[in-house]
Amino acid sequence: MAKKAETAKKIKVTLVKSPNGILKNQKANLEAMGLHKIGNSNEFVDDAVIRGKINKVSHLVKVEEI
């Protein structure tokens, strides 16, 4: 099972716009992904859960495949 996680694609998500004035569920998604300040970035395994969170805040983040 650990082998599968190593071969899975990874993505890097970076916060590029201010979260001021956004909806509560969008703010919660950013916090769940660990993005608090502009310029913060995190790496995630590319799966449906993360893609759903990214779709909610796509206007605030930049996504790069690693």
Side-chain angles (χ1 to χ4, degrees):
M1 213 162 171
K3 193 97 165 154
K4 184 178 180 183
E6 293 174 7
T7 60
K9 291 193 321 184
K10 295 192 94 176
I11 55 175
K12 180 178 180 182
V13 182
T14 306
L15 185 63
V16 294
K17 288 191 177 180
S18 173
N20 288 344
I22 63 174
L23 299 175
K24 287 182 183 180
N25 64 343
Q26 294 173 339
K27 182 84 166 173
N29 279 328
L30 288 176
E31 290 177 6
M33 291 191 289
L35 304 175
H36 302 287
K37 294 182 178 180
I38 295 175
N40 281 4
S41 60
N42 253 339
E43 294 181 9
F44 301 99
V45 175
D46 190 10
D47 62 356
V49 174
I50 295 298
R51 284 291 176 175
K53 290 179 181 183
I54 291 170
N55 284 338
K56 287 282 188 182
V57 294
S58 61
H59 57 288
L60 302 172
V61 298
K62 178 177 73 171
V63 180
E64 303 171 28
E65 291 186 11
I66 300 176

